[in-house]
Amino acid sequence: MPSFNQSIFHPTVFFLTGIPGFETYHAWIFIPFCCLYVIAISGNGMILFVIITESSLHEPMYYFLSMLSFTDLGLCLSTLVTMVGIFWFNTREISFDACIGQMFFIHGFTLMESSVFLAMAFDRYIAICNPLRYATILTNSRIIKVGVAIVVRVTTVVVPLLLLLKRLSFCGSHVLHHSYCFHPDVMKLSCTDTKINSAFGLAIVISTAALDSVLTLLSYVLIIHSVLSIASPEERKKALGTCVSHTSAVAIFYIPIISLSLVHRFGKHAPPLVHTLIANIYLLIPPVMNPIIYSVKTKQIRKAMVKIFLSKLI
């Protein structure tokens, strides 16, 4: 088997990795992955359809939930082609430009999801802690502005990150550790100085995902403090139930991201299988679990889904 080096392969071609050591069984291994993709795409697509078609769900909370479903759909679709190619057709090659494009969508939708969770936390904070001003604070025009601000934020952060990556040279191994292009993974293959890229990447993580997670956590601490002061046990139960669904989704999103970042920072000697498994968990588990959490925990979403399903049967 030839080594993947500059003397044999064009320096702008990378090679993606499936499950190391189980290449013979890739076609069978992808069946559960395929099921996860189907659940994620159909679940998030269903939530989007329900929110768009049901006028009773045209409220700020559900607008933000539709943004979350949209980002989960984008995250799934941005890797579906390479995953299918690797596991079913053994197509591992990806050009550098295609890799840059895939990273734009993966990192863009990841940052977008972090921003949406922060917006959802703010929405719940206003709804529970200041309900009388909820309708006047979160108007439709302001929600649109929040959506536009999220897109602008993501674009202004991700584009410079990838432009800095394009200036690097790659003269060693071109084998990536994942089934898709991931910025730290690609950057490690460079044979030029990557201090600027590392510093800028760390600054982005601190100013976006880390800041969002702290503000989101602070919002839910304030919410819980407010909920505990509610006199009515019924209202307290309802508010806590809403918080549980949101905090579960936030935890499912941030824990895989933190785990993947730690593996890339400190797991240089970790087995390749560990890198691959954590990378796939980060990619697929949040989009799969979010529709399940919100359809089970949110009564209005559940009722709207049942209503649409029964109308189709009739």
Side-chain angles (χ1 to χ4, degrees):
M1 183 178 176
S3 60
F4 300 113
N5 55 53
Q6 190 182 26
S7 62
I8 298 176
F9 296 101
H10 193 274
T12 55
V13 174
F14 292 106
F15 296 86
L16 301 171
T17 301
I19 307 294
F22 296 89
E23 288 80 4
T24 308
Y25 308 102
H26 271 177
W28 294 104
I29 291 172
F30 190 65
I31 292 175
F33 281 118
C34 187
C35 293
L36 292 175
Y37 271 108
V38 170
I39 293 170
I41 293 171
S42 59
N44 287 291
M46 183 65 177
I47 286 181
L48 266 177
F49 178 76
V50 166
I51 292 173
I52 291 170
T53 55
E54 285 294 313
S55 57
S56 61
L57 299 180
H58 292 175
E59 298 177 6
M61 173 183 170
Y62 302 109
Y63 288 143
F64 289 128
L65 181 55
S66 67
M67 292 181 193
L68 182 65
S69 293
F70 175 77
T71 58
D72 282 337
L73 273 175
L75 195 59
C76 284
L77 294 175
S78 62
T79 59
L80 180 59
V81 174
T82 54
M83 291 284 281
V84 171
I86 292 167
F87 285 92
W88 277 354
F89 301 102
N90 198 31
T91 306
R92 297 177 56 203
E93 293 186 21
I94 184 169
S95 69
F96 184 54
D97 290 335
C99 197
I100 290 287
Q102 188 178 51
M103 280 188 286
F104 173 79
F105 288 109
I106 290 173
H107 293 289
F109 282 119
T110 299
L111 292 180
M112 194 178 292
E113 188 154 345
S114 176
S115 303
V116 171
F117 275 126
L118 177 58
M120 294 175 77
F122 178 73
D123 167 77
R124 289 300 85 201
Y125 172 76
I126 298 297
I128 293 172
C129 300
N130 201 351
L132 297 178
R133 297 188 60 198
Y134 181 74
T136 57
I137 293 175
L138 287 173
T139 60
N140 287 344
S141 62
R142 283 179 178 164
I143 292 170
I144 292 172
K145 289 177 182 177
V146 169
V148 172
I150 289 173
V151 173
V152 171
R153 181 198 194 198
V154 167
T155 305
T156 54
V157 165
V158 175
V159 170
L161 183 73
L162 298 180
L163 289 177
L164 283 173
L165 191 66
K166 289 203 72 170
R167 72 182 181 85
L168 300 178
S169 300
F170 300 88
C171 51
S173 171
H174 290 180
V175 182
L176 299 171
H177 289 98
H178 306 318
S179 307
Y180 53 86
C181 293
F182 189 64
H183 179 266
D185 197 21
V186 176
M187 187 177 64
K188 284 180 181 178
L189 300 183
S190 174
C191 55
T192 50
D193 186 18
T194 60
K195 289 180 181 177
I196 296 176
N197 300 72
S198 297
F200 189 68
L202 182 61
I204 287 175
V205 170
I206 294 172
S207 61
T208 55
L211 180 62
D212 290 350
S213 61
V214 170
L215 294 176
T216 301
L217 178 62
L218 177 62
S219 297
Y220 285 115
V221 168
L222 294 174
I223 289 170
I224 292 171
H225 179 268
S226 178
V227 166
L228 293 177
S229 64
I230 296 175
S232 170
E234 189 63 31
E235 290 180 2
R236 189 183 302 148
K237 182 181 177 181
K238 181 180 178 182
L240 284 174
T242 303
C243 289
V244 166
S245 60
H246 287 295
T247 51
S248 299
V250 170
I252 288 170
F253 172 71
Y254 279 111
I255 289 173
I257 286 182
I258 293 169
S259 302
L260 185 60
S261 300
L262 290 175
V263 165
H264 273 284
R265 288 279 175 184
F266 308 109
K268 294 180 181 179
H269 303 293
L273 184 61
V274 173
H275 286 263
T276 303
L277 290 177
I278 294 178
N280 288 325
I281 289 172
Y282 147 75
L283 181 74
L284 285 173
I285 296 304
V288 168
M289 293 304 299
N290 286 341
I292 296 173
I293 290 170
Y294 286 107
S295 60
V296 171
K297 287 288 184 179
T298 309
K299 184 179 179 180
Q300 292 86 343
I301 293 287
R302 190 168 64 249
K303 286 175 66 177
M305 285 184 171
V306 171
K307 178 183 174 183
I308 291 174
F309 180 72
L310 290 177
S311 65
K312 294 294 182 183
L313 285 179
I314 293 173

